[in-house]
Amino acid sequence: DPMLHRSWPSTNSTLLLPMVLKSTPYPCTADSPFSIEIAALHQVRPSETESYPAGKMSSAMRRSQHSAAFPDLLEALKQSGACWSRVRIDWSEIQPEPPADHMYWAYHDEKLRLVADTGVRMIVIVDGVPEWAANSIFGPIDPDQLGEFDRFLTQLVTRYKEPPYNIHHWELFNEPDLTVWNGVPVGWGYHGDQYAQMLAVAHQAIKAADPEAKVLLGGLAYDAFTEYEEPFYRYFLDDVVTAGGGEFLDVMNFHYFPPFAREWERWDPNSEDRRNGWLPAPTCGIVDDDQGTVYEAGGIDLIAKTSHIRNRLAACFGLNRPLWVTELGETGYSGDPDSLARQARYVIQGYARGLAAGIENITWFALVSSPRTAHDQGLLHRFDWAPKPAYYAYQTMARELTGYTYAHTVEVDGVEAYVFLSPQHQEKTVAWSQDSVQLAHMAFLGTNHLRVVDRNGNVMLVEDGGADDADGMLNGSVGLRITSDPVFVSQ
C-alpha cells in the first residue's frame, strides 16, 4: 500500500503539518472503537469578540493561546482514522449566572459544528459546575440546584441532538472520584450518593430530550487512591451503585494510564503477590481485607484494570454495563526518541489489549497536550503540532483494524498477540515481542505468504521459503521474527 504525504497550511497561521493520508478511505460506523480527545480547555477557547458577562472575558482570553490552531487540529483529527472525538462542554461558561434563559451558546455552537464537519461522532463531557451551583467547579452540585441542572441539560441535549451536531453520548463530569485539588476538598469523590442523585436527574432530562441518547458515567480515574495519600477515592463507584446510580447509566466508563499497571496486575492469580500469599483475592467491600464475596481479576495492563472493574461490579452489585475508556495515554516527549518510540508502540498495544478485554470504545488522551502539564501524551508535538510517531501509529492501527472485532489471544512464548476478525472472517494478528531487546518467533501455519504491516504503515510481503521467512524452508508455513514494535499480520 503506497503511503501518500502532503502538508496543509494552517488557516490561521503559517504552520505546516506533514500528514500521512490513507490510501483507501473507509467509512466510520457507530461501532468503531477509535476515538481521540480534541477539545481540552487549552485547545478550544472562546474568541476575543464573543460577548460574555463582565469578569468572564479575561479568563477566556487567558486561555486562548491555542485557539488559532483549531483548524489544524481538526484536519489532524479528520486524517487520524478516529471515528469519535471526546469534547468538553463547560456548564459554567454557557450559564455563568442563573436563570436558565441566560445562556451563551455561540462559542459551543461554532466549535462543535466544526468538529461535526470532520465526520466524527462526539462524546461530550458535561463539566465545569458554575460557582452559583456548587462550592467548586468539580462539584458536587448543590442539591437545591439540581432543578437548574435539569433545565440546563434539557436545553443542551435538545440543541445538540439535531444536525449538524448529532450528539447522543453524554458523559457526566470528568473523573468525579476526585476528593481534593491543591489541598482543598473538592469533587464528588466522598459524595457518591449525591452523584447517584444527580444521575437520576440527568438521566431523566437527557432521555426525555433524546430517547436515543446514552448516559455515560464520568470517566473515573480509579487510580492514585486516597489510601496512598493521592486524590481519588477507591470506593466512589461502590457508593454510586449502592445509592442506586447504576440504574441510570448506559455505559460504565473509566481511564487508564500505564504507570498505574502495578495497581491492577498484582491482583492476577499468577502475580508474585498472589502466589506468595502477600495479597488475597479481591473481595467486595474493602478490596483487600479478605472478607466478603470473593471475585477474580487478572491479566496485564489495561486488561487487568478492566477485569477488576467488570468483575467487581458483577460480583458485588449484579451490575453489567458496556465498558468504555475515555482516556488512554502514554507519554512521548519531543527530543526523546526512546519515549516517542515507546508511545508509538503503546498506541497499538493499549488498543489491542483494551479491545481484547471487551472495551467497546477507547479515547486516546489526547490529540495534543497542554504546555502546562508535565505529561506529554498528545499524538502531536505540543509546541508546533507536528505529528509524532504515535500519530502515524494511530493512523496505521485505525486503517488496519477498522471493521475488525477481537477473536482470541495467541499463546506463543515471548510474544503477545491478539487475533481480530473481519466481517468476512478474515484473520489479522497484532503481535509484538514481550522483551524490548530479545527477538521472538511466531509461525503461521498453512499459508505460503503473509502481509506484514509495521506501525508506520509500511507493508512487507513474506513468502514461504523466502529471505524473510524465519524458518528458511519451503514447508507450507511462514515464520516471522517479532520485535517489540507491533506488527499487523494477515494472509
Side-chain angles (χ1 to χ4, degrees), residues 192-216:
D193 57 338
Q194 291 188 48
Y195 188 87
Q197 183 182 11
M198 178 276 296
L199 279 178
V201 171
H203 185 272
Q204 190 281 328
I206 291 170
K207 295 289 189 176
D210 178 13
E212 297 181 14
K214 300 295 184 184
V215 177
L216 281 67

Side-chain angles (χ1 to χ4, degrees), residues 135-136 139 178-187 190:
N135 291 327
S136 164
L178 181 70
T179 66
V180 63
W181 186 258
N182 291 332
V184 178
V186 296
Y190 291 131

Side-chain angles (χ1 to χ4, degrees), residues 243-302:
E247 177 184 351
F248 306 108
L249 289 171
D250 298 309
V251 175
M252 195 61 59
N253 175 22
F254 64 97
H255 296 164
Y256 180 75
F257 298 95
F260 296 101
R262 168 66 180 154
E263 171 64 38
W264 306 109
E265 292 177 355
R266 67 194 181 117
W267 298 104
D268 188 283
N270 294 315
S271 71
E272 185 180 21
D273 296 84
R274 292 287 300 280
R275 285 188 288 104
N276 292 320
W278 301 335
L279 187 71
T283 58
C284 300
I286 302 302
V287 69
D288 57 357
D289 68 356
D290 207 14
Q291 303 293 317
T293 302
V294 173
Y295 62 94
E296 279 297 352
I300 61 171
D301 196 58
L302 178 53

Side-chain angles (χ1 to χ4, degrees), residues 222 237 252 254 295-298 302-324 353-360:
Y222 211 67
L237 180 57
M252 195 61 59
F254 64 97
Y295 62 94
E296 279 297 352
L302 178 53
I303 296 174
K305 186 171 183 177
T306 303
S307 71
H308 183 101
I309 292 174
R310 176 188 286 121
N311 294 348
R312 184 176 182 85
L313 288 173
C316 304
F317 305 102
L319 186 66
N320 295 282
R321 292 288 186 274
L323 293 177
W324 288 28
R353 290 166 178 165
L355 296 176
I359 298 170
E360 294 187 0

